[in-house]
Amino acid sequence: MKTADTTQSDPDFAGLIVRCAPKGKVDVLVALIRPFPPRSRPKVTIAASGGTLTFDAGMAAAGAAVLLPDEVSAFAAGKWQTTPSLSVVIREGDTEIKGMVALNGLREAYHSLLANCGQ
């Protein structure tokens, strides 16, 4: 988990989670302090040095985490490992939560996670 830069994030933004998923996959989630309803389908915009992308997301962990689509895992496995930080915006209904996450150490953490996911 990479915690939010609290000086540049809303109070309800906790950080970014990269975790093992079934079948050797890796999930990327945005952790929230105040959960959304479990059936929410927020839109998540992620800006990094390589550009800005918007995704439709789902919910996990009883609404306290936003599960990003599988294609985001490819960014965590590649581009993000050399990116200094990410800007994240989560929109659900009238709610907008913004956050900033520093990615230093992501490369090492990602490879360690992959080495232990199948165990």
Side-chain angles (χ1 to χ4, degrees):
M1 178 169 183
K2 298 300 288 179
T3 57
D5 176 341
T6 57
T7 64
Q8 299 183 62
S9 300
D10 292 338
D12 287 329
F13 183 84
L16 191 73
I17 299 169
V18 180
R19 70 177 186 189
C20 294
K23 299 180 183 171
K25 293 179 14 181
V26 172
D27 283 339
V28 178
L29 303 98
V30 175
L32 304 174
I33 301 295
R34 183 175 42 107
F36 287 137
R39 287 191 165 75
S40 296
R41 301 294 299 166
K43 291 220 179 281
V44 179
T45 301
I46 300 174
S49 55
T52 301
L53 296 168
T54 299
F55 304 95
D56 291 320
M59 301 308 298
V66 178
L67 178 61
L68 299 174
D70 289 344
E71 63 192 280
V72 176
S73 298
F75 294 113
K79 285 184 188 180
W80 290 357
Q81 293 185 10
T82 57
T83 300
S85 63
L86 293 178
S87 170
V88 181
V89 179
I90 305 105
R91 291 182 182 88
E92 172 59 28
D94 294 338
T95 303
E96 181 176 275
I97 299 172
K98 297 178 183 178
M100 181 71 69
V101 179
L103 295 181
N104 56 313
L106 177 63
R107 175 178 290 157
E108 295 80 6
Y110 188 87
H111 290 294
S112 177
L113 178 71
L114 279 182
N116 292 295
C117 276
Q119 298 180 10

